[in-house]
Amino acid sequence: MSQTAQTLSTDATAQIAEALNQCVAETAVATMLAQNFHWNVTGMAFGPLHDLFQKIYEDHFVAQDDLAERIKALGAHAEGTLAGMVKRSKISEVDGVPSAEDMVRLMKDAQETLAETIAGAGELAAGQGDTLTEDLCIARGQTHEKFAWMLRAHLA
């Protein structure tokens, strides 16, 4: 039976909100990673990579808000500190300036991690009957898989 934010159990809400906070954290770190790479990419592929990294961070900035607003709609707390997000995230920041190829590889890995994390949150939501969160996660997961595919194409 489908549930809404108001009809989910307290336990289900807590589990879903925790999974979504993981998604927000990883999205936030990936946003900054993409912006860092956008600012610092150099080389023969500068133009297309500069544009792709911008497309990624602009998408992710909106996604952070969508995910956090779903957490709030569920009546839970959305993690709002950078330190908390960095600590929680399975995606790491990058020190220094990697080569353009390494940037692409690191961003591909980040997109694959995001797709996996968000798919897990969607599966959890589906198991609790929260089709609205599941739908959000499906759409986000598809976006991250598309970005991962685009980045893999640069490495081929």
Side-chain angles (χ1 to χ4, degrees), residues 16-65:
I16 294 166
E18 177 63 24
L20 289 174
N21 269 309
Q22 183 69 35
C23 296
V24 171
E26 291 177 12
T27 303
V29 174
T31 302
M32 199 63 233
L33 192 65
Q35 197 159 33
N36 177 9
F37 293 169
H38 167 79
W39 291 332
N40 291 299
V41 68
T42 59
M44 294 299 292
F46 167 80
L49 289 178
H50 182 76
D51 292 345
L52 179 55
F53 292 142
Q54 181 174 350
K55 185 176 182 176
I56 291 170
Y57 78 69
E58 287 175 346
D59 168 83
H60 289 21
F61 185 78
V62 172
Q64 292 173 68
D65 196 52

Side-chain angles (χ1 to χ4, degrees), residues 51-138:
D51 292 345
L52 179 55
F53 292 142
Q54 181 174 350
K55 185 176 182 176
I56 291 170
Y57 78 69
E58 287 175 346
D59 168 83
H60 289 21
F61 185 78
V62 172
Q64 292 173 68
D65 196 52
D66 291 343
L67 292 162
E69 287 180 352
R70 183 61 189 159
I71 294 167
K72 295 310 296 176
L74 292 167
H77 173 75
E79 172 65 64
T81 68
L82 292 175
M85 290 181 200
V86 169
K87 182 179 179 183
R88 177 190 292 259
S89 179
K90 291 181 278 182
I91 298 168
S92 299
E93 295 181 295
V94 175
D95 290 328
V97 181
S99 68
E101 184 175 339
D102 286 341
M103 288 178 181
V104 170
R105 187 172 291 104
L106 288 162
M107 186 54 60
K108 174 198 68 74
D109 292 347
Q111 295 305 308
E112 290 170 349
T113 297
L114 273 164
E116 182 180 309
T117 297
I118 289 174
E123 186 176 326
L124 174 67
Q128 299 292 340
D130 182 359
T131 57
L132 301 177
T133 298
E134 178 190 18
D135 184 64
L136 173 61
C137 291
I138 289 169

Side-chain angles (χ1 to χ4, degrees), residues 131-150:
T131 57
L132 301 177
T133 298
E134 178 190 18
D135 184 64
L136 173 61
C137 291
I138 289 169
R140 289 303 319 149
Q142 289 171 340
T143 298
H144 295 299
E145 285 198 337
K146 182 176 180 179
F147 282 137
W149 157 67
M150 291 176 161

